[in-house]
Amino acid sequence: MRFTSRLYAQHLGWTFKKHWQTQGKRIPSDTGAARELEKFGINVKSPEDVVREGYKYVKEMFPNSHKNSSQWNGQSCYVYGNDNVLLEGLPQAQRLTNTVLIPGLPQVLQDSIANMKVQSNVERNFQFAVMNAGIFDAEQTLLPRIRNMDRPAFKYPRMFGPSYQRRNRILINKLINECEKLASTEVSTQRRIVDNPTFKVTLTNNECSLQMNLKADKIITSSKPLEPFKGKFDSQMPDLYPTKSTISLQQENCYNTETKYPLNYEKYSHPHTVITFFDKERLKNLHGSEISLAQFQSRTLLSAFTVAATRAKQLYGDTDLEALPKPIVIQSVQTDGSIFDFGVFQLNTLNIDERNHLKNYWFQGENMDLYKVCCYLKGQPRLDGCNRNVLRHIVAFYNNL
């Protein structure tokens, strides 16, 4: 008999029918899961008991195990972590941290960058560091798929190369190494570098609990704190109406209010510069759109604020001080391997309520492209448009006292 489509469909249906008849006679085996749940106080009921007539409050038969945890709190808390993206970007970060925005870096850093002379051998080492991180590294992993919004259905061929995390780490390590070569002995002996530190602080923002739980990729510490800036800076705070400052933040009930600062009271415990990496494949908006410039800059601000707030809690106790005895200044750098964002944050108060007239300061620099082209073209490595201003900014940040 010829195997036609009708015969195939009939045979397939008969097979499925016999399959379900066989599977319906199987007897569930005891896996021991019920006994393990009973150890945690969770009673397992049979389906007949759950759906029996007259039963009410089905949810009570499956109690929330988190409520039995020591970290359970009746009041929910808004948590900002490494995977969060602020919907409104930089204006929302200003509202969350009670911070005013000052365009441009402080004058001290601007003068240091303008007066810096980059020698030819240093520039050559800088270009080699960029190529070593983006081209010459031996790691070959399957990179994320290239997507074109103008051609969403077109599938580009997958590329191999070093991952974003490895590329950024190699680049930053080599740039810091160049900074150490150019710095004087007085400066280099005051610096220490810590990889992957974790910072955690809980504050009150407009009668709501706000927790910052971040893991920095690298932090440079110093034996002396950065001096606060003289004078008062003021500007109009952004208006987020009709949204709230806590929009797009995750709300949790299972948390603790412990403050984490990875360095004890030692000589090199003062935060100097925090460096974070940005991975556009891991961080995405809920609506699927690309990360905007304001959202990119907001992560630089919140990284600096979290480090400064945890340091203030360590120095002055676990209270939301109206005004710090001495403001804490910290520099912040964020990069995705091709774009660099520089900023300087000064923490004046831990009271981040919007009704507080005392504000924190954020000096926002301009974003800079590290290069125009850095890849293999026709089998040969090529680097075009390498921006030496990136090296000048990093050296100025490292040498800032």
Side-chain angles (χ1 to χ4, degrees), residues 192-224:
R192 293 293 184 272
I193 301 175
V194 181
D195 290 331
N196 301 323
T198 301
F199 302 90
K200 183 178 179 182
V201 64
T202 306
L203 301 170
T204 302
N205 178 276
N206 300 330
E207 299 180 356
C208 297
S209 296
L210 175 64
Q211 185 174 102
M212 301 289 185
N213 192 355
L214 297 177
K215 181 180 180 180
D217 295 280
K218 194 178 294 288
I219 184 172
I220 301 176
T221 62
S222 176
S223 59
K224 298 179 182 179

Side-chain angles (χ1 to χ4, degrees), residues 15-124:
T15 304
F16 270 106
K17 181 179 179 180
K18 291 298 182 182
H19 175 73
W20 282 106
Q21 288 179 356
T22 304
Q23 296 296 325
K25 299 177 181 179
R26 293 181 61 183
I27 300 175
S29 58
D30 186 12
T31 61
R35 292 190 297 272
E36 294 296 329
L37 292 175
E38 290 177 356
K39 294 180 181 179
F40 295 96
I42 303 176
N43 297 324
V44 180
K45 301 293 183 179
S46 63
E48 291 79 7
D49 296 336
V50 176
V51 298
R52 69 180 184 273
E53 185 178 359
Y55 177 76
K56 296 181 180 180
Y57 306 113
V58 179
K59 287 186 177 181
E60 291 183 2
M61 302 190 66
F62 304 96
N64 193 340
S65 59
H66 293 294
K67 292 185 179 180
N68 300 327
S69 174
S70 59
Q71 297 184 356
W72 177 266
N73 294 273
Q75 182 182 1
S76 60
C77 176
Y78 292 95
V79 180
Y80 176 84
N82 292 89
D83 297 334
N84 290 104
V85 176
L86 296 185
L87 179 64
E88 298 292 340
L90 189 57
Q92 183 179 352
Q94 291 182 243
R95 281 292 185 180
L96 282 175
T97 59
N98 191 28
T99 303
V100 295
L101 176 64
I102 301 100
L105 296 175
Q107 192 63 37
V108 178
L109 289 174
Q110 293 184 16
D111 296 340
S112 177
I113 295 171
N115 299 330
M116 187 180 303
K117 296 181 180 180
V118 179
Q119 300 177 359
S120 59
N121 61 334
V122 176
E123 184 177 355
R124 184 173 59 253

Side-chain angles (χ1 to χ4, degrees), residues 77-283:
C77 176
Y78 292 95
V79 180
Y80 176 84
N82 292 89
D83 297 334
N84 290 104
V85 176
L86 296 185
L87 179 64
E88 298 292 340
L90 189 57
Q92 183 179 352
Q94 291 182 243
R95 281 292 185 180
L96 282 175
T97 59
N98 191 28
T99 303
V100 295
L101 176 64
I102 301 100
L105 296 175
Q107 192 63 37
V108 178
L109 289 174
Q110 293 184 16
D111 296 340
S112 177
I113 295 171
N115 299 330
M116 187 180 303
K117 296 181 180 180
V118 179
Q119 300 177 359
S120 59
N121 61 334
V122 176
E123 184 177 355
R124 184 173 59 253
N125 293 338
F126 171 59
Q127 295 178 359
F128 181 76
V130 176
M131 297 182 68
N132 193 9
I135 301 178
F136 297 146
D137 189 68
E139 184 187 48
Q140 295 294 313
T141 59
L142 191 62
L143 299 179
R145 189 176 298 276
I146 301 175
R147 301 185 184 276
N148 189 351
M149 299 303 296
D150 297 332
R151 305 177 64 184
F154 186 80
K155 292 185 178 181
Y156 289 89
R158 300 295 293 272
M159 303 296 292
F160 285 84
S163 61
Y164 286 114
Q165 189 72 15
R166 180 178 175 85
R167 184 188 308 174
N168 295 336
R169 189 167 299 280
I170 293 176
L171 176 63
I172 291 299
N173 288 339
K174 289 187 175 296
L175 293 183
I176 293 178
N177 189 19
E178 293 299 322
C179 294
E180 293 174 343
K181 294 178 183 178
L182 297 175
S184 62
T185 307
E186 179 185 1
V187 174
S188 59
T189 53
Q190 296 180 12
R191 303 287 184 263
R192 293 293 184 272
I193 301 175
V194 181
D195 290 331
N196 301 323
T198 301
F199 302 90
K200 183 178 179 182
V201 64
T202 306
L203 301 170
T204 302
N205 178 276
N206 300 330
E207 299 180 356
C208 297
S209 296
L210 175 64
Q211 185 174 102
M212 301 289 185
N213 192 355
L214 297 177
K215 181 180 180 180
D217 295 280
K218 194 178 294 288
I219 184 172
I220 301 176
T221 62
S222 176
S223 59
K224 298 179 182 179
L226 293 174
E227 292 297 326
F229 302 102
K230 298 180 181 180
K232 293 185 178 181
F233 302 90
D234 194 11
S235 63
Q236 186 176 2
M237 295 290 288
D239 187 11
L240 301 180
Y241 183 83
T243 61
K244 295 183 179 180
S245 60
T246 55
I247 190 173
S248 71
L249 292 183
Q250 187 175 0
Q251 200 170 2
E252 297 182 0
N253 288 87
C254 191
Y255 65 94
N256 61 71
T257 58
E258 178 187 4
T259 301
K260 291 183 180 180
Y261 186 76
L263 303 175
N264 297 326
Y265 295 96
E266 55 184 14
K267 183 179 180 181
Y268 301 97
S269 62
H270 300 284
H272 186 271
T273 304
V274 57
I275 302 174
T276 53
F277 301 151
F278 177 82
D279 188 354
K280 62 180 180 180
E281 294 298 327
R282 183 172 59 88
L283 299 172

